[in-house]
């Protein structure tokens, strides 16, 4: 009987602690959501200010696409397996390089 009482007490403490952690987590997530909603207009203004004077997102995307394709072909040939042997790594690398080049070209030029 004493073991059941101890187990019940431990279980009750664990449940209370879990509930407290859940409440704290929910409060933190709500605060994060509110902060994200408040920061969205500021981020929009910053992006409009810093990305508009450059080449432009549309032209930057076209240039970035061709630069990335050429770069991926060079990487595939240098890897030794050719284009098909490295395709699973090339897709992720292509998207990463494309977005980085796209934003940098649009911003810098």
């Amino acid at each position: 009987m004493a073991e059941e009482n101890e187990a019940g007490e431990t279980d009750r403490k664990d449940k209370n602690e879990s509930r407290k952690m859940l409440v704290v987590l929910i409060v933190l997530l709500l605060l994060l959501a509110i902060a994200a909603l408040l920061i969205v207009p500021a981020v929009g203004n910053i992006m409009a200010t810093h990305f508009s004077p450059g080449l432009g997102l549309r032209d930057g995307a076209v240039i970035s696409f061709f630069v990335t394709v050429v770069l991926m072909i060079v990487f595939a040939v240098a890897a030794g397996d050719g284009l098909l042997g490295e395709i699973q790594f090339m897709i992720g690398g292509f998207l990463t390089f494309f977005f980085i080049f796209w934003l940098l070209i649009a911003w810098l030029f």
Side-chain angles (χ1 to χ4, degrees):
M1 277 292 197
E3 287 182 22
E4 287 179 16
N5 193 14
E6 274 184 40
E9 185 66 29
T10 305
D11 190 38
R12 197 172 306 115
K13 287 179 182 177
D14 287 343
K15 284 182 182 179
N16 286 336
E17 188 175 329
S18 296
R19 286 185 188 128
K20 289 178 186 176
M21 291 168 89
L22 180 64
V23 168
V24 168
L25 185 62
I26 289 173
V27 169
L28 287 175
L29 287 175
L30 286 173
L31 288 174
L32 182 65
I34 291 169
L37 287 174
L38 292 175
I39 198 80
V40 166
V43 170
N45 290 336
I46 291 170
M47 287 183 66
T49 302
H50 291 291
F51 285 124
S52 62
L55 182 64
L57 290 175
R58 183 177 294 178
D59 295 331
V62 172
I63 295 169
S64 174
F65 175 78
F66 289 111
V67 168
T68 306
V69 166
V70 170
L71 185 65
M72 288 295 124
I73 291 172
V74 169
F75 281 169
V77 171
D81 290 337
L83 201 53
L84 295 178
E86 302 291 330
I87 194 71
Q88 69 271 19
F89 303 110
M90 300 276 293
I91 294 171
F94 177 84
L95 293 174
T96 304
F97 275 118
F98 175 75
F99 285 117
I100 290 171
F101 286 157
W102 181 22
L103 293 177
L104 285 177
I105 289 172
W107 182 41
L108 294 177
F109 297 107

